[in-house]
Amino acid sequence: MIYIATCYSHFGAVKFKKLCEGAGMKARMMPVPRDLSSSCGTCVRYEGDTPCPGDCYPEEIEQVVQKEENGYQVIYRAKDS
């Protein structure tokens, strides 16, 4: 599955990318797709069998979506987003 995580800051995106890679997931940083909104404009695109690379999402994560054929499905959204 392909997931996209939007972050509150560029630093948060860098940290989340490293978390994904540490969990053995293929990950890269990229600009946020136009269909999604983000505070910092940077997101992490990652692939894996599970949408969460750890026990829970770090507080830097604004939302996580799963890429689908016709758009995106929201998997996680921070409480205050």
Side-chain angles (χ1 to χ4, degrees), residues 5-67:
T6 60
C7 305
Y8 290 112
S9 68
H10 183 79
F11 180 71
V14 171
K15 285 178 52 177
F16 189 71
K17 178 182 177 280
K18 290 180 181 181
L19 177 68
C20 290
E21 291 172 337
M25 298 175 156
K26 183 177 175 183
R28 67 181 170 106
M29 292 177 56
M30 61 182 240
V32 175
R34 289 185 180 181
D35 294 345
L36 305 173
S37 64
S38 174
S39 298
C40 73
T42 304
C43 69
V44 177
R45 180 189 183 277
Y46 60 104
E47 299 178 32
D49 295 331
T50 178
C52 188
D55 295 332
C56 61
Y57 290 106
E59 64 183 36
E60 295 94 1
I61 300 301
E62 182 178 12
Q63 72 174 341
V64 174
V65 298
Q66 179 178 322
K67 187 165 178 13

